[in-house]
Amino acid sequence: MTTPFPFTAVVGQDDLRLALLLNAVSPAVGGVLVRGEKGTAKSTAVRALSALLPAVDVVAGCRFSCDPARPDPGCPDGPHEPGPGTSRPSRMVELPVGASEDRLVGALDIERALAEGVKAFEPGLLADAHRGILYVDEVNLLHDHLVDLLLDAAAMGASYVEREGVSVRHASKFLLVGTMNPEEGELRPQLLDRFGLTVEVAASREPDQRVEVVRRRLAYDDDPAGFAARWADEETAVRQRVVAARELLPSVRLGDGALRQIAATCAAFEVDGMRADIVMARTATALAAWAGRTDVLAEDVRQAALLALPHRRRRNPFDAPGLDEDKLDQTLEEFSGEGEDDPDPDGPGGGGGQPAPDDGSQGDSGGAARPEAGEGGEPQAGGAGGGEQSAVRAAEPFRTKVLSVPGLGDGAAGRRSRARTEHGRTTGARRPRGALTKLHLAATVQAAAPHQRARGRSGPGLVLRRDDLRQATREGREGNLVLFVVDASGSMAARQRMGAVKGAVLSLLLDAYQRRDKVGLVTFRGTAGEVALPPTSSVDAAAARLESLPTGGRTPLAAGLLKAHEVLRVERLRDPARRALVVVVTDGRATGGPEPVALSQRAARLFAADGVASVVVDCESGPVRLGLAGQLAGELGGTAVTLDELRADSIAGLVKDVQRRAA
């Protein structure tokens, strides 16, 4: 068995360690979501937590970890007789992002259920995680149907497995811990709200701290057991502190003053619902117990707000999570209770306590600076920088009409285009390829019925063979690759016009976020096309690149289309099942180089030859219109819409038009 990296040996990351320890003290806090760039010890810290959790008592032989003091009356392995039970270490169960539904909730043997009338059930990860931790690395990449199952289990405290009327239920109460890199996409709001706390982590910018990280990691890799032994005393001390805090927790008093501060803080930051108030109350209580106190202080409320509210106050997918600490302090001061003076942060028991005093604070996460745009001016010939104008802010986004790819795909689950999926409405049946996952009962009975006399059927059950089983074929929705090809040339540079163009693209990005698409961004100006953002699940990253996009120079339309075609070619090799939708945002003009119009037409015909669905957003304005964008759409084999027609209330029938032209 691999020796885990010691929890107390993690350098820095004080907020991360504190959030994990608070959940160890009070599982009712509801888990933690760890957001941050790659290589910041997110997974290392989470996996190390399991060694600090107290052991749990379980019913001997129960596959569902029933508590011997309060066994589940509906346990599939029950009913259980009262008894002392046995003790085992707390479990941390990892859910792979590519897991199947049966691996998560368990597998029911439909063949035995139909033929023998017995419930032969193999527990899944939700059963293994009961009364422990369920850890999902890269939780933002988890498939939607698995997210739905997690939401159900988290809300009901139980897992239900149903296959054609045969049902099994078992208790499933777990601490949900997830880690994610925001660059790879965001979480669905419903799942985001299920995490009690959230923590942002980043690599330290302090050289001494980075040196210590490398030193400890190398020492652990050379001798894991020896390294763990050197930290055994610190691990024991933290483990004992967790046990003591758990014992103290029922005695902690949450006074009316602290409750008023919690309610006022949640109201001031306009969080949805009441879950935030409850999580803040539980977190503040756990902070007091962790500090060895029986009273919740204002500093506990402040720390609880910083951990429980950032991910709940997001009003827009493109808004970064976080809290205005000045506003938080002002709210706490306004609703401070009488006689509750601020504790001395340096005194004993103050401020909720950090998990360990070593290593110092985490350094500033820094960030890439936006490139400085050149001075404004008239469009000029020459390179991309010629005539460059500063970036223009996007207009307010709006709700767009649905753009979809025609036909029936087989891509990843999403909400845009029609596809053959594991979930959705049943459209037919087929012989199963591999394990049977979705039984088509009627087709199975129909296949088995003619053979019952020959098979000597005498009892009430069907005599089934493997060849009789039929898999249900279903139709749902898939996510697509939406590749934006944006004209950033001088002809688009009028400030009001470019603001409207960016607002339209931002609206389409918001639509792509809601429909679980991957997005990419190609821009063209000057003499070349440029991949501003390779295909990614992070719509936030695309919005940031769009916001800082400068304009100016000539219009190399052909270069932009060729660059987009190359992006699609490479992405098709990486993910052949994901179909693409190309959205070209331009006025249709092509300038620069020999025969720019003819060259752009030839480049457009490459997309038509490959059968790529496309839409041209016509940005041409003014009383005299040349209709160049419409001509481009014809060469692409797609359709053209104006900026005004892109709005949801203005273009009824756009999807039908896209599908008709691509047919």
Side-chain angles (χ1 to χ4, degrees), residues 73 118 141 143-144 150 191 256 267 277 325 355 423 498 513 642:
V118 299
L141 303 182
H143 289 174
D144 273 1
L150 276 183
L191 182 57
D256 289 343
D277 305 60
E325 295 195 32
H423 299 267
M498 196 61 197
Y513 167 81
T642 65

Side-chain angles (χ1 to χ4, degrees), residues 124-147:
L125 296 178
L126 289 180
D128 293 341
H130 180 46
R131 303 178 66 205
I133 297 175
L134 181 64
Y135 171 47
V136 189
D137 193 11
E138 306 293 354
V139 64
N140 50 324
L141 303 182
L142 200 63
H143 289 174
D144 273 1
H145 68 284
L146 297 182
V147 171

Side-chain angles (χ1 to χ4, degrees), residues 58-411:
V58 298
V59 173
C62 177
R63 297 175 297 167
F64 302 89
S65 302
C66 280
D67 186 349
R70 293 179 298 276
D72 178 13
C75 176
D77 284 354
H80 299 299
E81 296 295 330
T86 61
S87 180
R88 64 160 176 78
S90 293
R91 288 176 180 166
M92 175 174 288
V93 177
E94 293 197 35
L95 170 60
V97 295
S100 65
E101 180 179 332
D102 285 347
R103 183 71 185 99
L104 177 62
V105 300
L108 190 62
D109 193 330
I110 296 297
E111 188 173 355
R112 290 190 62 191
L114 290 176
E116 303 174 26
V118 299
K119 295 181 180 179
F121 181 68
E122 184 66 29
L125 296 178
L126 289 180
D128 293 341
H130 180 46
R131 303 178 66 205
I133 297 175
L134 181 64
Y135 171 47
V136 189
D137 193 11
E138 306 293 354
V139 64
N140 50 324
L141 303 182
L142 200 63
H143 289 174
D144 273 1
H145 68 284
L146 297 182
V147 171
D148 293 338
L149 294 170
L150 276 183
L151 289 172
D152 289 343
M156 297 184 293
S159 175
Y160 291 84
V161 184
E162 298 196 16
R163 297 287 188 274
E164 305 298 337
V166 182
S167 177
V168 173
R169 172 214 166 272
H170 64 82
S172 182
K173 297 180 180 179
F174 49 84
L175 193 65
L176 183 60
V177 179
T179 55
M180 60 174 283
N181 182 353
E183 293 180 356
E184 297 171 342
E186 289 290 347
L187 277 178
R188 282 171 53 183
Q190 297 93 331
L191 182 57
L192 188 65
D193 190 53
R194 282 294 170 185
F195 288 97
L197 310 179
T198 186
V199 178
E200 295 279 341
V201 297
S204 172
R205 299 301 187 256
E206 294 293 331
D208 290 343
Q209 197 169 77
R210 296 176 74 97
V211 166
E212 187 61 24
V213 170
V214 175
R215 181 180 291 119
R216 293 186 187 183
R217 186 69 214 189
L218 293 178
Y220 170 77
D221 290 341
D222 289 341
D223 183 10
F227 182 81
R230 292 196 292 274
W231 289 88
D233 292 342
E234 288 82 353
E235 293 282 286
T236 300
V238 174
R239 190 180 300 108
Q240 291 173 348
R241 188 175 175 184
V242 169
V243 173
R246 279 194 173 189
E247 294 174 351
L248 182 63
L249 188 65
S251 303
V252 175
R253 186 181 70 88
L254 183 64
D256 289 343
L259 273 174
R260 283 182 59 82
Q261 286 184 318
I262 290 171
T265 300
C266 292
F269 286 101
E270 300 179 358
V271 298
D272 295 330
M274 295 297 298
R275 183 174 284 120
D277 305 60
I278 297 171
V279 171
M280 270 192 67
R282 290 170 173 167
T283 305
T285 304
L287 280 162
W290 176 250
R293 289 185 274 99
T294 56
D295 288 307
V296 174
L297 304 179
E299 188 65 22
D300 299 324
V301 176
R302 185 182 192 278
Q303 182 69 60
L306 293 174
L307 293 173
L309 296 188
H311 61 302
R312 292 189 165 88
R313 65 166 298 274
R314 293 186 59 171
R315 315 306 299 176
N316 186 295
F318 304 136
D319 293 338
L323 288 185
D324 183 342
E325 295 195 32
D326 291 337
K327 181 179 179 180
L328 174 60
D329 291 335
Q330 181 180 353
T331 303
L332 294 176
E333 178 67 23
E334 182 179 352
F335 289 88
S336 60
E338 294 183 2
E340 291 184 354
D341 297 330
D342 289 336
D344 177 8
D346 297 324
Q354 292 294 329
D358 69 299
D359 305 326
S361 61
Q362 189 68 39
D364 186 6
S365 62
R370 289 186 176 181
E372 295 295 331
E375 297 297 326
E378 294 299 324
Q380 301 174 7
E388 180 176 301
Q389 300 186 16
S390 58
V392 179
R393 292 188 62 84
E396 284 297 315
F398 52 84
R399 189 167 64 90
T400 67
K401 268 292 187 181
V402 180
L403 307 177
S404 63
V405 179
L408 196 62
D410 293 286

